[in-house]
Amino acid sequence: MSMPALFKGRLSIPVIGAPLFIISVPDLVIAQCKAGIVGSFPALNARPPALLDEWLIRIKEELAAYDRAHPERPSAPFAVNQIVHRSNNRLDQDLALCEKHKVPIIITSLGAREELNQAAHGWGGIVFHDVINQKFAHKAIEKGADGLILVSAGAGGHAGEISPFAFVAETRQWFDGPIALSGAIGNGRAIRAVRMLGADFAYVGSAFIATSEANAVEGYKQMITTSTAEDIVYSNLFTGVHGNYLKPSIVAAGMDPDNLPESDASKMSFGTDASGERAKPKAWKEIWGSGQGVGSVGKILPAAELIARFKQEYADAVDPRYEGIRSELTMSSNRPALPMTGGCSCGAIRYQIASFPLLLYTCNCTDCQTRTGSAFALNMPVRTKDFHVLKGEPKARRHISPTGVAVASWFLRRLRCAPLRRAGGPRRDRQRPRRDAG
């Protein structure tokens, strides 16, 4: 998997905020980017079309000011969604404004166009294309898209029918570029699962409808917080493209959600009239879209608080095999007091940890067997920021493990024991364990 340089050092969590029709406006995009995730909006949300220029100016200026004030944690890049369907009579005008402002990320939907991808590359941007099956995925990459957004079963708005497990696995058989995965992602554990499946980003939309910054009526936001996956209806009636919608909103509009007619896809239209308004706004304003992950939302929050919750849930998500150990370490009434100290049996090195270990496990890989001279090694990962060497001067030895991971071990040269280790890239390996003064 490859991560474009554009994202490196600028994300607090691997999430792209999906562009939500009507809902995503500069207030939401800016809040998302400041909190460390990619914020995005559909170009068609800016109506009349001239408003898009004002939006892009505001987003760029506010994020630049934030970056100057917070150089240690710069904002995430933002993205503009372009509907490439032939009925979108604004596409060329909107794309010209994106070129004027050198929008870093373009998200394309409902059509892949080689000339659009080339134009974005010309001003230094990258293009993600959203797809619902392998046919469209191959077509997007053949036409020059840099990354794919796999819209799987359970996603909000225009959605697919393929399981995310199968979709990612089959795509990774032929594509090693950046992938975002969409489909019922409503909490940090789901974001962690996205990474475990082999995707680079979670593509999250519905949860952001219930945020303070979202351009949604209060009734829509409240319906998001009280609905569950069983309240989602999959239909193509409202736009000509199959998507997921909130059942209560369909009932409120006087329709039977269990007996919706099929739409004629050939009459699908994303065009606007002279004022910039959509020709058929009724479906979007009265029938509310949502994915199946709404059961995790719960309440209306500022976007920054929602993202902070995602970050904590993402950090806390661990393999269920270790959950018992983790619970015993962190929740037992008999757990030891912090900080805890430890070291070599000879006493030459002493260290302190200020938080409980993330887990305990035994490993029988070749590297651990070689290091210990045993059939396995007992390992106890801890957070770097909470680890301090109190006594001793361990020496570093850096090498590549049999599995290809860069490893730094700190050991006592006299006894050749290596009580401290760090696995990771070269940048991490250059860091020594912190030693407290005195």
Side-chain angles (χ1 to χ4, degrees):
M1 294 176 285
S2 61
M3 178 73 73
L6 174 67
F7 299 102
K8 293 181 179 177
R10 301 180 64 185
L11 297 180
S12 63
I13 189 171
V15 170
I16 297 174
L20 306 169
F21 190 68
I22 296 179
I23 307 300
S24 297
V25 290
D27 285 349
L28 179 57
V29 173
I30 292 167
Q32 290 172 325
C33 292
K34 286 181 178 179
I37 73 167
V38 176
S40 70
F41 69 96
L44 291 175
N45 279 7
R47 293 173 283 171
L51 187 60
L52 179 59
D53 192 36
E54 298 177 23
W55 282 15
L56 291 173
I57 290 172
R58 180 191 167 194
I59 291 170
K60 289 172 61 180
E61 289 181 348
E62 290 199 25
L63 293 182
Y66 176 87
D67 292 347
R68 289 192 296 272
H70 303 87
E72 77 287 356
R73 57 176 192 280
S75 60
F78 71 95
V80 174
N81 174 222
Q82 297 286 4
I83 301 297
V84 190
H85 191 265
R86 61 183 179 276
S87 66
N88 181 9
N89 54 3
R90 284 182 46 173
L91 180 59
D92 291 342
Q93 180 181 357
D94 290 346
L95 191 62
L97 286 172
C98 288
E99 180 175 11
K100 172 186 174 181
H101 292 284
K102 294 181 169 53
V103 171
I105 307 168
I106 297 293
I107 297 171
T108 53
S109 305
L110 298 175
R113 284 175 48 175
E114 187 172 359
E115 65 272 21
L116 186 154
N117 296 333
Q118 291 175 346
H121 295 157
W123 74 67
I126 63 173
V127 179
F128 279 76
H129 187 68
D130 64 18
V131 299
I132 60 170
N133 57 40
Q134 293 297 327
K135 173 186 174 181
F136 292 138
H138 280 278
K139 185 177 180 180
I141 298 304
E142 289 168 2
K143 289 183 177 291
D146 302 284
L148 295 171
I149 299 167
L150 307 184
V151 185
S152 59
H158 297 155
E161 299 180 274
I162 300 175
S163 160
F165 295 94
F167 210 169
V168 175
E170 292 178 6
T171 305
R172 278 296 179 213
Q173 292 175 10
W174 62 272
F175 181 64
D176 63 358
I179 288 177
L181 179 63
S182 171
I185 302 168
N187 56 61
R189 280 184 174 269
I191 296 168
R192 177 70 74 181
V194 165
R195 296 285 291 133
M196 296 298 291
L197 285 176
D200 301 284
F201 307 97
Y203 198 65
V204 183
S206 300
F208 287 105
I209 298 171
T211 58
S212 307
E213 299 87 352
N215 184 37
V217 297
E218 189 66 18
Y220 191 178
K221 295 182 181 183
Q222 290 294 342
M223 193 176 290
I224 289 287
T225 66
T226 58
S227 296
T228 66
E230 293 182 358
D231 295 312
I232 305 303
V233 175
Y234 189 64
S235 172
N236 75 342
L237 172 63
F238 308 108
T239 66
V241 180
H242 275 93
N244 283 313
Y245 302 91
L246 289 164
K247 182 184 296 185
S249 72
I250 298 173
V251 173
M255 290 179 280
D256 181 358
D258 297 321
N259 293 285
L260 294 176
E262 289 288 310
S263 174
D264 183 353
S266 67
K267 296 180 180 180
M268 178 173 53
S269 175
F270 292 89
T272 59
D273 59 23
S275 69
E277 290 297 319
R278 287 285 297 278
K280 296 181 180 179
K282 181 179 179 181
W284 291 103
K285 289 183 177 179
E286 297 182 3
I287 307 300
W288 296 331
S290 176
Q292 293 179 1
V294 288
S296 298
V297 177
K299 60 182 178 179
I300 300 170
L301 295 170
E305 288 189 25
L306 177 63
I307 294 166
R309 193 193 82 192
F310 284 167
K311 289 167 61 178
Q312 187 61 55
E313 292 168 344
Y314 181 82
D316 290 343
V318 296
D319 190 314
R321 291 176 297 175
Y322 305 126
E323 195 65 49
I325 298 173
R326 183 185 179 90
S327 298
E328 184 175 332
L329 286 168
T330 61
M331 297 190 299
S332 169
S333 60
N334 298 319
R335 65 176 183 258
L338 291 173
M340 295 187 291
T341 59
C344 294
S345 57
C346 68
I349 290 180
R350 299 296 296 171
Y351 57 79
Q352 175 181 286
I353 57 175
S355 63
F356 290 106
L358 301 176
L359 55 91
L360 293 172
Y361 68 95
T362 57
C363 179
N364 62 350
C365 75
T366 303
D367 194 43
C368 284
Q369 290 176 342
T370 301
R371 180 170 59 90
T372 63
S374 174
F376 62 86
L378 181 64
N379 296 279
M380 184 183 76
V382 297
R383 292 186 173 89
T384 302
K385 67 181 182 66
D386 295 328
F387 180 87
H388 305 274
V389 174
L390 303 177
K391 176 186 176 183
E393 291 290 342
K395 305 297 181 182
R397 172 179 173 267
R398 299 173 178 84
H399 66 286
I400 303 297
S401 76
T403 57
V405 177
V407 177
S409 299
W410 285 271
F411 62 94
L412 293 173
R413 192 178 302 276
R414 176 170 54 89
L415 299 176
R416 306 296 294 178
C417 65
L420 313 175
R421 309 183 76 225
R422 183 199 290 268
R427 182 178 177 185
R428 288 181 169 183
D429 289 349
R430 287 197 296 268
Q431 300 175 2
R432 295 176 58 86
R434 288 184 295 177
R435 189 181 192 281
D436 287 356

